[in-house]
Amino acid sequence: MKGTTRRRIAAFAVCALAVWLTIFPAFADPATPEDEEVRRMLEKSLSVVEIDKEIVRVQQQKQTVAEQLQVSQDKLKEQEQAIEKKREDAGKVLRAYYTGERDIWLTALLSVDNLSELLTLLDYFDLIFANDKLTLNTYKKQYKELKSSIAKLDDQSKQLDELEERLNTQRARVVALQKDVDSALNGRSDADNLRLLISEFTDFWENVGLTEVKRYFSALSKAMKHMPAWVQENKDDMLEINGFNYSLTIPEDKLNAFLREQNELFNTFAFAFEKDTVIVTGKRDNLEVRLTGHYTLEETGSILFHVDSLMFNGLELPDTTRAELEKEFDLGFYPSKIVSFLKTKSVAVEDGKLLIKLSISL
């Protein structure tokens, strides 16, 4: 860790300890109801900060979609104007065939007297029918483009509505959380000290904590990319073959050893496999991260990791933070990269190991 980050952590630790001792001079049992109330206030305040970020992200998405919608609407108007002329031309061509106006060429063809006239007439045929075909094809193409633009417009309008609803939901969450914090602070003799503690903690999270959490996720994502090659190198120990079926068993101790080979950050970091649950913990320099999650098997055969809970220094972060980290960092596992002709049939987490069933893709 860089010196600047270490100094920030140390400064926060001193400040937070001073505030904490002011609030709890006896340094009471951390399990007391009063300490639990403070913990909940810190957690809610942290959620307010994180959901506020989600609101900003949604507002930016909404602005982008609104601009795209306007561009699509302008383009649609241009297409409608352009297609009107082609619609008239196409109508004339179709009417000519329907009313028999083109029959005159068939009559002329039957009345030619020599080869020279026939060749000349065929040249005319070619020009007329090629032009008719071009007119109809152009109209058909523009009509398809117009329908596509209308469908795109509808999708963007729906997306805009969904973003608006999502924005309102997150705003309501922030208001409710902030109301809870304010209500908990009202009437407390140590309210000012608690506000200072909340401010210090949220500043610490934004300036140091989030960066560290992202370092963990980034290191994990990079390590996962090397996992198929590692399995390939250790397939004699972890891969069992039974006819066309394969069983891949990854023990947690071997996975942790692999991670520590990838990055020294994982020396104080560990995966633990429990029934249907993956627990990941890391701690260093007064920073502690704990996440729980699960794997899902996708139709493509990929195994994706989903974060169900994320805690930083004992405080749970909101779903918006988990979703954003999942979006930014890929913690998935891709068995097809071990052997290209294998497809994943199932994935399961048992005590102490990850089990993956595979079969030959025919």
Side-chain angles (χ1 to χ4, degrees), residues 204-221:
F204 175 65
W205 162 250
E206 291 193 278
N207 295 314
V208 179
L210 181 58
T211 300
E212 284 301 292
V213 168
K214 286 191 173 185
R215 283 186 68 187
Y216 276 115
F217 272 78
S218 177
L220 265 178
S221 181

Side-chain angles (χ1 to χ4, degrees), residues 100-261:
E101 292 178 16
R102 293 289 189 258
D103 291 350
I104 187 173
W105 295 105
L106 180 59
T107 303
L109 180 63
L110 296 174
S111 63
V112 295
D113 296 325
N114 55 60
L115 181 60
S116 177
E117 289 181 2
L118 176 62
L119 293 176
T120 301
L121 194 59
L122 288 176
D123 285 339
Y124 282 128
F125 273 17
D126 187 51
L127 287 172
I128 291 170
F129 292 123
N131 186 63
D132 287 349
K133 185 177 180 181
L134 177 62
T135 300
L136 293 174
N137 285 343
T138 301
Y139 172 70
K140 184 179 178 181
K141 179 183 176 183
Q142 289 187 342
Y143 180 72
K144 283 184 176 180
E145 290 175 349
L146 186 66
K147 286 186 69 177
S148 175
S149 295
I150 292 172
K152 184 179 180 181
L153 208 62
D154 288 341
D155 289 342
Q156 288 174 335
S157 295
K158 289 176 183 176
Q159 189 179 358
L160 203 58
D161 291 340
E162 289 170 0
L163 286 170
E164 181 65 34
E165 184 178 349
R166 184 171 150 200
L167 196 58
N168 291 334
T169 299
Q170 301 300 356
R171 282 172 174 160
R173 288 180 69 186
V174 166
V175 169
L177 285 167
Q178 191 61 59
K179 185 177 179 180
D180 286 346
V181 173
D182 293 340
S183 176
L185 286 170
N186 286 339
R188 289 187 62 123
S189 59
D190 58 356
D192 289 341
N193 288 331
L194 279 172
R195 287 191 180 93
L196 178 58
L197 179 63
I198 289 170
S199 176
E200 289 292 338
F201 193 87
T202 52
D203 285 347
F204 175 65
W205 162 250
E206 291 193 278
N207 295 314
V208 179
L210 181 58
T211 300
E212 284 301 292
V213 168
K214 286 191 173 185
R215 283 186 68 187
Y216 276 115
F217 272 78
S218 177
L220 265 178
S221 181
K222 290 176 182 176
M224 289 298 112
K225 288 181 173 62
H226 297 124
M227 197 167 167
W230 170 69
V231 171
Q232 182 69 261
E233 292 171 1
N234 296 273
K235 60 185 179 182
D236 292 342
D237 296 330
M238 294 186 292
L239 194 63
E240 181 181 337
I241 303 174
N242 182 13
F244 292 111
N245 296 312
Y246 294 69
S247 296
L248 176 61
T249 302
I250 303 178
E252 63 183 41
D253 58 343
K254 288 189 177 181
L255 176 60
N256 287 319
F258 158 71
L259 291 173
R260 286 160 192 158
E261 290 174 358

Side-chain angles (χ1 to χ4, degrees), residues 14-25:
V14 171
C15 183
L17 181 59
V19 175
W20 191 263
L21 289 173
T22 302
I23 299 171
F24 304 110

Side-chain angles (χ1 to χ4, degrees), residues 7 42 54 68 135 145 151 163 173-174 202 214 223 246 252 265 279 289 339 354 358:
R7 287 194 294 274
L42 284 170
E54 172 70 1
Q68 292 172 343
T135 300
E145 290 175 349
L163 286 170
R173 288 180 69 186
V174 166
T202 52
K214 286 191 173 185
Y246 294 69
E252 63 183 41
L265 182 68
I279 302 172
V289 177
V339 181
L354 175 65
L358 307 113

Side-chain angles (χ1 to χ4, degrees), residues 12 16 19-20 23-24 35-50 177 181 184-185 193-203 205 312-318:
F12 164 76
V19 175
W20 191 263
I23 299 171
F24 304 110
D35 283 355
E36 178 60 22
E37 184 180 6
V38 173
R39 190 195 67 78
R40 285 199 301 268
M41 277 193 284
L42 284 170
E43 194 168 83
K44 288 176 180 178
S45 297
L46 195 57
S47 292
V48 168
V49 170
E50 284 300 288
L177 285 167
V181 173
L185 286 170
N193 288 331
L194 279 172
R195 287 191 180 93
L196 178 58
L197 179 63
I198 289 170
S199 176
E200 289 292 338
F201 193 87
T202 52
D203 285 347
W205 162 250
F312 169 72
N313 281 14
L315 302 182
E316 185 161 4
L317 294 161

